[in-house]
Amino acid sequence: MNRWWKYMRPYLPYFILGPLCMLVEVAGETVLPKLLSVIINRGTDGTLTKAVCLGIMFAMIGIAILMMLGGVGGAYFGAKASVNFATDLREDAYRAVQRYSFANIDKFSTGSLVTRMTNDVTQLQNFVNMLLRMAIRAPGMMISALIMSIFLKPPLAVVFAVTIPLMILSVLGLIVLGLPRFTKLQEKIDGLNSTVQENITNVRVVKSFVRQDHEEEKFGRANKRLKDAGLSAMKIMIFMEPVTSAIMYATTLAVIWFGSGFVLDSVNGMPVGDLSLFVTYVNQILMSLMMVTMLLMMASRAIASAKRIRQVLEEVPDIDDRDAGEPDRTVAAGAIEFRDVSFRYYKNSEEYVLKHINLSIPAGSTVGIIGSTGCGKSTLVSLIPRLYDPDEGEVLVDGVDVKDYRLRNLRDGVGMVLQKNTLFTGTIAENLRWGREDATDEEVREASQMAQADKFVSSFPDGYETALVHGGTNVSGGQKQRLCIARALLKNPKVLILDDSTSAVDTATERQIRTALTEDYPGTTKLIIAQRISSVKDSDQIVVMNEGEITAVGTHDELLGSSEEYREIYYSQMTEDTEDGKKS
């Protein structure tokens, strides 16, 4: 309750007024049958007059109007409370995910996180709404009807001593069976969402490889698993209705059977109207139990969803800045140092992705990093803005351990163009201003010019107001890379990391980008990860990596003389370029 109280407290008036309005309905449900029984009793014994009948009728109409107002009020306040509850909960879950490190996100699939913040929150919202409408109404109606029944005819009320415990046991049994099934159902929704999201995100790859049939089969399997889990969970709901109905009808028959004997008893009998009233109260009691049953079944599903949401909220980010030694410090120069750094993605793995890395990068220098695919180049630079933390050793920026910076201050000083270029739905200008929100139109254009993006952006009819669709799929790969570089440059960072970010750009354009970086950002430390030696040959120093280790460091000329691995890469690329030139 401590966890959920946070989301209830701001809307406490709604949580109180909703159930109170339902009490009006409870009172009406109790009084109306009594008034009707008076009409029946007086009608059978001949004492009913027109004045009495009209008086009772108007009283019943007034009560019905009050019940309507109470029902509308209960529904209104219940909706207000549940929707606000769900909105705040969803926002907290989203904020929690934003604080995750890459390692935290790896624990959840994307589809699972989407399901938890949508479907699971909706399950809780529906439960809260139903709870506010039924938590008082159902027990209140059952208790008041039971008290009235006992006062009306105590011997006949003995039937409840059998039916109520039987109903409670049935409900508890169904809940015990239903809870694990609802948990499994939510997991299957995760699987389906993951399948759909992966397919839609990579739809161009699917079509280019003509794998629609494969994807349809994969979706069909996930859909069938969800169907089977849904049917398994719904069987509990389906089975619940005949069980509760059977108990309800059996109780009604028993009351009529024994009650008719009291009606015919001339000594200790009961009026026909009282028997009708008793049957109405029986139906109210059993209907209340059915409402409670439905509420508890919803609760079992809500409990499963609540556990999954709590996992998101209570996941502790393994990277945070609560213990930052210098929280007010910002990146001033951009000098970088790796001291005996080792790293592995899976902490129970014996294999390290980076092994005992020692590297010093002066502020304002340009460093090229080259090596075979999977040798750890991207992982190495990801440690600088603390996208991951090393298992061993230290990463320092301006002589300070990156763990001593506030994350915001550290990452504000680092501009990074990731290997996978990502643009968001919105205009080109809006995407570029991710680098700096308050950038002027002129600054946006200048950054684009340096990234060699201004020319093609200006050719669009809407220029920088051109709308990009999801993922920026309406621009080419090279255009996307240049926009991402412009976004990073607009940040004016002290450390700029380009992770293979010009692979889709022609060599002439790449040369122009390198020239702009050298001339316009002389004080920025530049780390360039590339596959082509031509992309890094003019760097102040080049780092050669292989299988998670640094095998050589030096300038292009120094490495040609001292590093066999670098020579092999260089001459293989020179041969390829020569052969390509002959073919052309």
Side-chain angles (χ1 to χ4, degrees), residues 3-11 85 88-89 92 313:
R3 162 63 65 187
W4 310 117
W5 174 247
K6 172 185 177 182
Y7 307 104
M8 295 166 59
R9 186 172 54 244
Y11 314 106
F85 173 93
D88 290 354
L89 177 59
D92 267 10
L313 294 173

Side-chain angles (χ1 to χ4, degrees), residues 87 147 189 268 349 370 397 431 475 486 555 583:
T87 299
I147 291 172
I189 294 175
N268 297 312
S349 172
I370 199 163
V397 174
N431 270 272
V475 293
T555 63
K583 289 177 183 178

Side-chain angles (χ1 to χ4, degrees), residues 148-192:
M148 293 296 287
S149 299
I150 293 172
F151 276 107
L152 192 63
K153 199 66 176 179
L156 196 55
V158 173
V159 70
F160 297 127
V162 176
T163 56
I164 291 178
L166 189 61
M167 181 76 87
I168 291 172
L169 288 173
S170 300
V171 170
L172 291 175
L174 292 172
I175 290 172
V176 170
L177 291 173
L179 183 58
R181 299 188 186 201
F182 286 124
T183 301
K184 189 174 181 181
L185 175 63
Q186 295 304 113
E187 292 172 354
K188 299 308 176 187
I189 294 175
D190 286 351
L192 186 72

Side-chain angles (χ1 to χ4, degrees), residues 88-359:
D88 290 354
L89 177 59
R90 195 179 293 112
E91 285 182 357
D92 267 10
Y94 188 78
R95 287 195 199 98
V97 173
Q98 296 305 304
R99 290 193 296 270
Y100 287 178
S101 69
F102 286 2
N104 292 118
I105 292 174
D106 290 343
K107 293 181 182 178
F108 303 94
S109 69
T110 304
S112 177
L113 288 172
V114 171
T115 304
R116 291 169 197 245
M117 285 187 284
T118 53
N119 187 278
D120 284 311
V121 173
T122 300
Q123 293 300 328
L124 277 177
Q125 176 182 325
N126 292 339
F127 172 66
V128 169
N129 190 16
M130 184 64 70
L131 182 68
L132 292 177
R133 298 182 65 179
M134 296 299 172
I136 295 294
R137 187 178 189 275
M141 191 166 71
M142 182 177 68
I143 293 169
S144 61
L146 185 60
I147 291 172
M148 293 296 287
S149 299
I150 293 172
F151 276 107
L152 192 63
K153 199 66 176 179
L156 196 55
V158 173
V159 70
F160 297 127
V162 176
T163 56
I164 291 178
L166 189 61
M167 181 76 87
I168 291 172
L169 288 173
S170 300
V171 170
L172 291 175
L174 292 172
I175 290 172
V176 170
L177 291 173
L179 183 58
R181 299 188 186 201
F182 286 124
T183 301
K184 189 174 181 181
L185 175 63
Q186 295 304 113
E187 292 172 354
K188 299 308 176 187
I189 294 175
D190 286 351
L192 186 72
N193 280 347
S194 295
T195 301
V196 172
Q197 192 223 12
E198 184 178 49
N199 177 271
I200 293 174
T201 302
N202 303 299
V203 65
R204 286 166 175 76
V205 178
V206 173
K207 289 184 180 297
S208 64
F209 282 89
V210 197
R211 296 287 284 174
Q212 292 95 323
D213 292 342
H214 169 77
E215 288 298 307
E216 286 175 8
E217 290 175 7
K218 187 166 75 170
F219 176 83
R221 289 192 296 271
N223 199 26
K224 184 178 183 302
R225 286 192 290 268
L226 176 58
K227 180 195 74 173
D228 293 340
L231 286 175
S232 176
M234 289 305 108
K235 283 177 184 177
I236 300 298
M237 304 290 288
I238 294 167
F239 186 66
M240 179 191 70
E241 186 172 346
V243 169
T244 53
S245 295
I247 295 172
M248 181 175 173
Y249 295 141
T251 306
T252 303
L253 287 173
V255 168
I256 294 174
W257 176 267
F258 293 111
S260 61
F262 288 111
V263 170
L264 297 174
D265 188 342
S266 58
V267 179
N268 297 312
M270 63 186 299
V272 175
D274 286 1
L275 179 59
S276 174
L277 178 60
F278 199 98
V279 171
T280 301
Y281 286 147
V282 168
N283 288 330
Q284 287 183 359
I285 291 169
L286 297 178
M287 284 298 294
S288 298
L289 283 171
M290 288 186 70
M291 290 180 196
V292 171
T293 301
M294 290 296 297
L295 188 62
L296 291 175
M297 290 304 297
M298 287 187 69
S300 64
R301 186 167 188 178
I303 288 169
S305 293
K307 287 181 179 178
R308 289 159 49 81
I309 295 169
R310 282 181 59 192
Q311 288 173 349
V312 174
L313 294 173
E314 295 175 1
E315 175 73 16
V316 179
D318 64 346
I319 294 177
D320 58 49
D321 50 18
R322 287 175 294 184
D323 298 325
E326 300 185 41
D328 296 327
R329 189 183 184 94
T330 59
V331 179
I336 302 165
E337 184 179 359
F338 294 86
R339 291 181 182 173
D340 198 29
V341 169
S342 297
F343 174 80
R344 53 190 171 179
Y345 285 106
Y346 302 102
K347 304 313 174 187
N348 56 355
S349 172
E350 295 182 2
E351 188 68 27
Y352 281 84
V353 179
L354 298 175
K355 308 166 189 173
H356 304 292
I357 300 293
N358 288 283
L359 179 65

